[in-house]
Amino acid sequence: MRQPQGSPLPGSAAGEREADVQSFSTMNECYYDKRMDFFYNRSNTDTADEWTGTKLVIVLCVGTFFCLFIFFSNSLVIAAVIKNRKFHFPFYYLLANLAAADFFAGIAYVFLMFNTGPVSKTLTVNRWFLRQGLLDTSLTASLTNLLVIAVERHMSIMRMRTHSNLTKKRVTLLILFIWAIAIFMGAVPTLGWNCLCDISACSSLAPIYSRSYLVFWTVSNLVAFLIMVVVYLRIYVYVKRKTSVLSPHTSGSISRRRTPMKLMKTVMTVLGAFVVCWTPGLVVLLLDGLNCTQCGVQHVKRWFLLLALLNSVMNPIIYSYKDEDMYSTMKKMICCCFQEKNPNRRPSRIPSTILSRSDTGSQYKEDSISPGTVCSKNSS
């Protein structure tokens, strides 16, 4: 058969060079204009059959309930910190910021629910980056916030104080710094660390994330987990030892001396829940980044994602359970909301308040009017 004019012979040096050039151009071809079905098909990820029918309904119902609870409870925590002057300290400002990170996680999960399952394959590359970037940002915000709380606790504990001497301006700058890091880390794949121009390096769970990025991201988070656990354990042991040594020689109420330990127990419970809820998902992503084809990561991804979502549900419960002041403030705010919805019930409470003023002491008078005071402040 006659060779076409102008084309190099297959065995010639020119033919080999042309084949190398074609292979190189294919390897460096970028796929920014492709939809996600192209990447899901290459990664052999089945998004349609696994996310339809009963399983999809269950996941969406559970996810919706969790998200509604996240929005309500974390808003309540933030409002409690703003409302109660007892919480106007650096530790509680950072705790409120952690609640804000959980609130943001709820937004990320809502966006995920409307852009998952069969819909995933119809997404554009930029919309998929936004979906995953919101999740990465929420995780980084929570993790960085816990690291900053560790620093704040270290500053106060080493001086044997309940709260550090950070000013409001410094706390505000720290909060802005936390969110700047979180947004940057969530945007890293969008900024270029992806596999759109090197499709052979794409992962399975995140079809347009580079496996090298998944390894970097998961390892850095797991190392941060380990560092925080070690730091918090050291602070906890130090506080416990100092409290036991100084308690017999220190004046003041027992509750005041125990306050640093209570705060440490609260933070360590939050940290423990964070590590337990996020570590399985990070390990799965790490295995995917290491290209472990026999690990079955596709079968457990959605359940570990729900476990991570559960962390944002647990935190407000931990705050209210471990901190009596937080619990009482949140309870009063909820009661005030019901009172505002049922104004006819208010007059029945006024006579009892008046009687308590004449028949009892000033301490009971304070307690009896405190709910009304809070409600009046809420309505004003």
Side-chain angles (χ1 to χ4, degrees):
M1 186 175 179
R2 186 177 178 181
Q3 183 74 15
Q5 187 176 2
S7 62
L9 295 175
S12 64
E16 293 178 358
R17 284 197 299 271
E18 183 175 343
D20 292 340
V21 169
Q22 290 178 353
S23 175
F24 181 78
S25 62
T26 302
M27 185 183 301
N28 288 272
E29 183 180 356
C30 295
Y31 298 91
Y32 293 103
D33 58 337
K34 297 288 186 181
R35 288 194 173 269
M36 287 306 300
D37 58 343
F38 173 78
F39 301 98
Y40 277 114
N41 292 335
R42 289 196 82 264
S43 64
N44 297 320
T45 302
D46 192 356
T47 59
D49 296 336
E50 296 181 352
W51 287 90
T52 55
T54 306
K55 288 184 179 179
L56 179 62
V57 173
I58 292 174
V59 170
L60 289 179
C61 289
V62 173
T64 302
F65 174 77
F66 280 177
C67 288
L68 291 175
F69 183 82
I70 286 171
F71 292 144
F72 173 74
S73 58
N74 285 286
S75 299
L76 208 58
V77 171
I78 296 171
V81 173
I82 296 173
K83 193 74 176 174
N84 195 334
R85 292 184 180 180
K86 289 183 179 180
F87 301 146
H88 291 185
F89 293 98
F91 172 78
Y92 286 104
Y93 290 145
L94 294 173
L95 204 66
N97 191 51
L98 187 60
D102 288 329
F103 189 95
F104 185 85
I107 296 175
Y109 290 122
V110 168
F111 190 83
L112 175 66
M113 285 192 298
F114 284 100
N115 294 276
T116 192
V119 181
S120 299
K121 290 190 174 184
T122 65
L123 299 178
T124 63
V125 168
N126 289 332
R127 192 170 182 85
W128 194 93
F129 273 137
L130 176 61
R131 190 189 82 173
Q132 298 304 120
L134 291 174
L135 293 173
D136 296 346
T137 300
S138 65
L139 170 61
T140 307
S142 298
L143 179 60
T144 311
N145 206 92
L146 284 171
L147 285 170
V148 173
I149 290 177
V151 174
E152 191 275 338
R153 287 292 83 201
H154 186 272
M155 290 174 60
S156 58
I157 295 304
M158 291 304 138
R159 295 178 175 86
M160 287 309 297
R161 295 178 178 176
T162 303
H163 298 287
S164 65
N165 57 355
L166 288 173
T167 61
K168 288 186 178 181
K169 182 178 180 180
R170 289 183 179 179
V171 174
T172 303
L173 291 176
L174 282 174
I175 291 174
L176 293 176
F177 176 71
I178 289 169
W179 285 102
I181 292 179
I183 293 172
F184 174 75
M185 291 301 295
V188 164
T190 311
L191 297 175
W193 199 346
N194 53 59
C195 61
L196 293 177
C197 296
D198 186 9
I199 203 166
S200 61
C202 290
S203 66
S204 175
L205 292 178
I208 56 178
Y209 273 14
S210 174
R211 287 195 297 271
S212 60
Y213 171 74
L214 281 186
V215 172
F216 161 77
W217 193 72
T218 54
V219 169
S220 60
N221 282 309
L222 290 172
V223 170
F225 285 4
L226 180 61
I227 292 173
M228 281 197 301
V229 169
V230 172
V231 170
Y232 276 114
L233 283 176
R234 291 191 63 180
I235 295 176
Y236 179 80
V237 172
Y238 178 83
V239 172
K240 193 171 184 180
R241 186 173 64 248
K242 282 289 186 181
T243 303
S244 61
V245 171
L246 295 178
S247 289
H249 311 286
T250 306
S251 58
S253 65
I254 296 175
S255 61
R256 178 167 184 147
R257 291 194 301 248
R258 289 179 179 175
T259 300
M261 180 60 72
K262 285 185 177 180
L263 295 181
M264 280 305 304
K265 287 181 178 179
T266 301
V267 176
M268 290 191 67
T269 306
V270 171
L271 175 62
F274 185 79
V275 172
V276 169
C277 291
W278 279 99
T279 299
L282 290 176
V283 171
V284 167
L285 288 175
L286 177 61
L287 293 174
D288 186 32
L290 296 174
N291 202 21
C292 179
T293 56
Q294 305 298 324
C295 297
V297 294
Q298 294 286 348
H299 302 294
V300 295
K301 60 180 183 180
R302 75 177 63 84
W303 307 115
F304 286 163
L305 185 61
L306 284 176
L307 180 61
L309 173 62
L310 185 62
N311 176 241
S312 298
V313 176
M314 293 171 62
N315 282 341
I317 300 174
I318 295 172
Y319 305 150
S320 59
Y321 179 75
K322 288 289 184 179
D323 194 318
E324 294 177 1
D325 290 332
M326 180 68 72
Y327 173 77
S328 61
T329 303
M330 293 170 68
K331 184 179 178 181
K332 287 177 182 179
M333 293 177 68
I334 294 175
C335 292
C336 289
C337 291
F338 283 109
Q339 287 179 14
E340 288 178 359
K341 290 181 180 179
N342 300 283
N344 295 330
R345 303 177 98 185
R346 286 184 180 179
S348 63
R349 295 177 59 90
I350 295 175
S352 63
T353 303
I354 296 173
L355 287 173
S356 67
R357 288 178 181 175
S358 58
D359 297 341
T360 60
S362 59
Q363 182 63 41
Y364 184 75
K365 168 186 164 184
E366 238 180 68
D367 294 338
S368 63
I369 67 173
S370 59
T373 306
V374 174
C375 292
S376 63
K377 288 181 180 178
N378 283 339
S379 59
S380 59

